[in-house]
Amino acid sequence: MSEIRLQVNDICKYFGITKALEHVSFNIAKGEVHALIGENGSGKSTLTNSLAGIYQKDSGTFTLDGKEVNPANQVEANNEGISIIVQELGTLDGLTVAENIFLGHEDKFVKCGIKNTNAMNRKATELLKQYGFDRIKAADMIENYNFEDRKLVEIVKATYFKPKILVIDETTTALSGEGREELYKHMNRIREEGDTVIFISHDLPEILRLSDTITVLRDGIYIDTVKSSDIDEEGLKKLMVGREVSGKYYRADYGEEISDEVVMKVENVTVPGLISDISFDLHKGEILGFGGLSESGMHEVGKACFGASFDREGKVTLADGTEINDIPSAISHSIAYTSKDRDNESLVMNQSIRDNICLPSLDELSNKAGLLSDKKLYEFAGIHAKTMSTKMQSVDQFVSNLSGGNKQKVVLARWIGKDSDILVLDSPTRGIDVKVKQDIYQLMDKMRKEGKSIIMISEELMELIGMCDRIIIMKDGRINGELMRDENMDENVLISKMV
Ligand code: ADP
Ligand code: MG
């Protein structure tokens, strides 16, 4: 029996009427990667946020190496040897990379009341180099970096002081292959040094590969703890949803003809430094996939189609000849867009579900005098939040408090409400559990059958293969191949064109 590192003892946490955690108890050992899984909203983040001082639990205790810990904030948690890489963006704008790494621990660099910025930058540079992230510069402002690089900075921030417990909350979905490998390396190192990783991810193969032990939560209740070597994906899914995941996961049809009708024509689109000379047609009722490495330019293709690129050259034209050059014209011509960076680019976090869903439909919802009625907004938001079976208390709830899968449902509800004809979905299932993923795939299939056209951009090859009529592979900002829907397609064909 390995030694116990953390005892989770009868933890309860409520948010209003939502029971996020109900009497949760289990043990986590030293020297293990302990995975925490469960559907969206099952309480994983609430548990780890409570441990890491971000939330205050209502009752119960955490015992770390035999001693009760009850951190009031993240800095206190760090000092107890607990650190966390959160699901959302965990770095702060307005600070440098070095200031973010040492946030809350600046006193290390203060002498006689004066902050020694040079010493801090030197130390951060040394760490970044040690981690192999040399391209990130300590003195740069953090907002000069993209989401992925900011996550890499968070890895440094959370691990440089060798915590006893590192929590990684759904970080891997934000990382491309290289970033993931980097994170896995640090997870292994921590485990080999006898410390503990609590690992939250929706990627079940990844969980099975990396973890020693898996604990399952469902609706805030502890279900079971199993050894990773004793269970497989199907078994985990069953524990998560409490029944067998029934029906087809992806769409089931093959060999359907794509309509000749072109709804969007993209011609010679270039965004300097990101994509060059991209041309393709999107057909009515088609799901057109874009795959590639995260820096291949595929995410920019989505932005370009929505009129959201800076300095775009080339043309994006709709069937009626309308040219799409900016976001307002995209929205008024029934184009929807979900960003890979959901929290920063798709949702207004400090607004309600209602406002987020109604946002692009305000013109339709206002009366002749241009006025909006509260009642109408409530009704509209309620209907579409319900269609997506969003788990919420009411449409007044702020989106910042929703779990990842429910945030994505709000984003989709918004565009279903708008009744968009063309949907550009960038990473629509990023960080979402199996059950909600299945819902989203079914929704896409339904929309396709209704004659709507979808551009699906994804780093998950299996979902592209499972859902798309055609897949365009991007490499180094250019189109590097196109594949038609085929029952026998496997990931290797795509990978060979990606790298
Ligand atoms: P998971 O991480 O497993 O997806 P969470 O722990 O984020 O789930 O959420 C558990 C439940 O608690 C959900 O119903 C969620 O809406 C709710 N919840 C989480 N954080 C807050 C908050 N700050 N305010 C209100 N409700 C919250
Ligand atoms: Mg979570």
Side-chain angles (χ1 to χ4, degrees), residues 250-347:
Y250 302 118
R251 66 188 255 206
D253 63 290
Y254 287 93
E256 229 168 88
E257 294 254 319
I258 303 174
S259 151
D260 288 338
E261 194 179 331
V262 173
V263 294
M264 180 189 267
K265 204 167 182 55
V266 172
E267 292 168 284
N268 312 107
V269 164
T270 293
V271 178
L274 295 170
I275 48 176
S276 344
D277 203 22
I278 304 293
S279 300
F280 63 89
D281 289 343
L282 175 67
H283 300 92
K284 189 174 167 65
E286 173 184 42
I287 302 181
L288 172 60
F290 277 83
L293 300 173
S294 75
E295 302 296 317
S296 65
M298 62 177 179
H299 300 295
E300 192 62 29
V301 171
K303 286 201 171 113
C305 295
F306 191 59
S309 293
F310 288 115
D311 288 340
R312 195 198 75 197
E313 297 154 23
K315 273 189 354 189
V316 175
T317 323
L318 302 182
D320 66 359
T322 310
E323 284 191 28
I324 301 299
N325 295 315
D326 50 47
I327 297 173
S329 66
I331 293 177
S332 65
H333 288 91
S334 207
I335 303 175
Y337 173 67
T338 70
S339 166
K340 176 187 175 192
D341 187 359
R342 186 164 56 219
D343 287 1
N344 285 301
E345 293 183 350
S346 286
L347 289 166

Side-chain angles (χ1 to χ4, degrees), residues 15-16 18-21 38-47 49 55 87 169-170 200 202 217 391-393 397 400-406 433:
F15 294 104
T18 306
K19 296 174 180 168
L21 295 172
E39 291 191 67
N40 287 126
S42 59
K44 306 178 298 290
S45 298
T46 304
L47 183 69
N49 286 345
Y55 291 163
Q87 188 171 356
D169 190 353
E170 286 190 47
I200 302 176
H202 283 296
L217 296 179
K391 204 177 164 207
M392 57 180 184
Q393 289 157 29
Q397 199 178 344
S400 53
N401 295 337
L402 295 176
S403 61
N406 279 306
D433 67 55

Side-chain angles (χ1 to χ4, degrees), residues 30 53 69 80 88 100 119 159 178 183 210 214 227 237 265 299 346-347 359 373 442 454 478 484:
K30 281 188 189 168
V69 286
E80 299 275 11
E88 323 299 350
N100 265 292
T159 58
E178 194 196 345
L183 186 65
L210 294 173
I214 305 171
K227 272 185 124 81
K237 282 183 198 167
K265 204 167 182 55
H299 300 295
S346 286
L347 289 166
L359 193 64
S373 100
Q442 280 173 4
I454 300 174
R478 291 174 185 277
M484 297 304 288

Side-chain angles (χ1 to χ4, degrees), residues 67-79:
K67 177 176 151 261
E68 186 180 337
V69 286
N70 193 17
N73 53 51
Q74 274 196 75
V75 175
E76 274 187 37
N78 288 169
N79 294 338

